[in-house]
Amino acid sequence: MASLNVGNLGDYLREQRRNAQLSLRQLADAAGVSNPYLSQIERGLRKPSAEVLQQVAKALRISAETLYVRAGILDAERDRDEVETRAVILADPTLTEGQKQALLQIYESFRRENGIGSDDGRADGAGPPGHESDADPQQTAG
């Protein structure tokens, strides 16, 4: 079922690679994967692991979560708004990496404040310790 999404992933990767003005070989080198393997992913013949998707996302400077959803690794319905919001922030070329991380930290803190946070064991929104509301939820409940 989800493996039929692999073609969609390949089309999306090809589009992102072209937007980044990278050749297939350049992206393969930057991501640390073989050129033939990346070509097979783009053509929808292979379903990459989460680790490979992470490497490709980093090389393209896009959200790995977006690739996970497109590959069927993350449920597309679960946290769709969060994934899309994070992807837009991470893809904005006018922001520095520090600004992107600051925005993501603020976004996550608002989500937690509203009881919707993505505190499901992932460490992706973690910022510097001791800042903002890092209080234990069990201490504040009640």
Side-chain angles (χ1 to χ4, degrees):
M1 221 157 54
S3 63
L4 297 177
N5 242 0
V6 178
N8 185 22
L9 170 67
D11 293 340
Y12 180 75
L13 279 177
R14 184 178 302 112
E15 179 184 331
Q16 294 302 309
R17 177 177 58 79
R18 288 178 178 163
N19 287 343
Q21 298 180 339
L22 293 172
S23 70
L24 192 65
R25 186 172 310 279
Q26 288 171 319
L27 178 57
D29 288 345
V33 299
S34 75
N35 190 38
Y37 183 60
L38 186 58
S39 174
Q40 290 174 344
I41 294 170
E42 279 196 2
R43 291 182 287 144
L45 302 176
R46 293 279 183 137
K47 184 173 182 177
S49 68
E51 182 179 325
V52 168
L53 288 175
Q54 176 72 35
Q55 292 170 243
V56 171
K58 186 174 182 181
L60 287 171
R61 301 177 60 89
I62 62 173
S63 165
E65 292 167 328
T66 301
L67 295 184
Y68 295 160
V69 169
R70 290 189 180 265
I73 294 172
L74 277 181
D75 182 3
E77 298 305 314
R78 182 182 154 261
D79 297 332
R80 169 169 256 149
D81 290 339
E82 177 193 2
V83 169
E84 289 176 356
T85 300
R86 291 175 58 83
V88 168
I89 292 169
L90 291 169
D92 189 330
T94 64
L95 299 175
T96 67
E97 289 304 311
Q99 290 169 331
K100 291 176 185 180
Q101 291 307 313
L103 276 174
L104 290 174
Q105 289 171 13
I106 292 167
Y107 175 66
E108 289 301 322
S109 71
F110 284 150
R111 286 179 55 85
R112 280 192 301 273
E113 185 177 305
N114 294 334
I116 310 172
S118 65
D119 247 353
D120 55 6
R122 293 180 293 162
D124 40 46
H131 191 66
E132 301 188 341
S133 130
D134 285 339
D136 186 336
Q138 292 177 348
Q139 290 177 341
T140 57

